């Protein structure tokens, strides 16, 4: 039983860490978009990888009508949905304890 609890606690920590990395990548992309840095114009492979990873998360939200003038609210909605998803996963894992 103790081993199972430790496995579940480790899974919870892993889920939290994965979501923290995702949040960090999204914040970096948002800041870069404010500065005007785009991977297609710079040719930077690291930026291209960042955009490829975050596009998977942001594209579904960018299809929704979440623009108000020049402001795109899709990253905010993405953060909210990701936080809800994280909480649901962690809560489900806690119920295994």
């Amino acid at each position: 039983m103790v081993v199972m609890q430790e496995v579940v606690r480790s899974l919870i920590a892993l889920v939290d860490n994965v979501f923290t990395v995702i949040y960090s990548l999204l914040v970096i992309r948002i800041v870069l978009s404010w500065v005007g840095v785009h991977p297609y114009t710079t040719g930077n492979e690291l930026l291209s990888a960042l955009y490829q990873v975050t596009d998977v998360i942001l594209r579904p939200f960018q299809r929704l009508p979440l623009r108000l003038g020049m402001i795109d609210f899709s990253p905010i909605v993405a953060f909210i949905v990701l936080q809800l998803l994280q909480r649901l996963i962690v809560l489900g894992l806690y119920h295994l304890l």
Side-chain angles (χ1 to χ4, degrees):
M1 188 66 171
V2 174
V3 173
M4 181 64 172
Q5 288 176 345
E6 288 304 315
V7 168
V8 171
R9 285 189 182 113
S10 296
L11 283 173
I12 291 170
L14 177 66
V15 167
D16 283 337
N17 289 335
V18 166
F19 275 94
T20 299
V21 168
I22 292 170
Y23 298 143
S24 300
L25 292 175
L26 285 173
V27 168
I28 291 169
R29 177 177 171 157
I30 292 166
V31 170
L32 288 175
S33 72
W34 290 342
V35 176
V37 176
H38 298 284
Y40 315 111
T41 57
T42 60
N44 188 330
E45 290 182 23
L46 187 59
L47 285 178
S48 295
L50 172 70
Y51 270 69
Q52 287 174 356
V53 169
T54 55
D55 274 347
V56 172
I57 297 165
L58 290 176
R59 288 262 165 123
F61 300 102
Q62 289 172 339
R63 292 185 186 125
L64 301 173
L66 298 172
R67 281 193 173 274
L68 186 62
M70 294 293 294
I71 301 172
D72 183 12
F73 290 100
S74 60
I76 295 170
V77 175
F79 271 105
I80 293 169
V81 170
L82 285 171
Q83 285 183 338
L84 288 173
L85 182 62
Q86 178 184 11
R87 289 181 183 175
L88 285 174
I89 293 171
V90 169
L91 186 63
L93 289 172
Y94 269 122
H95 283 298
L96 294 176
L97 289 176

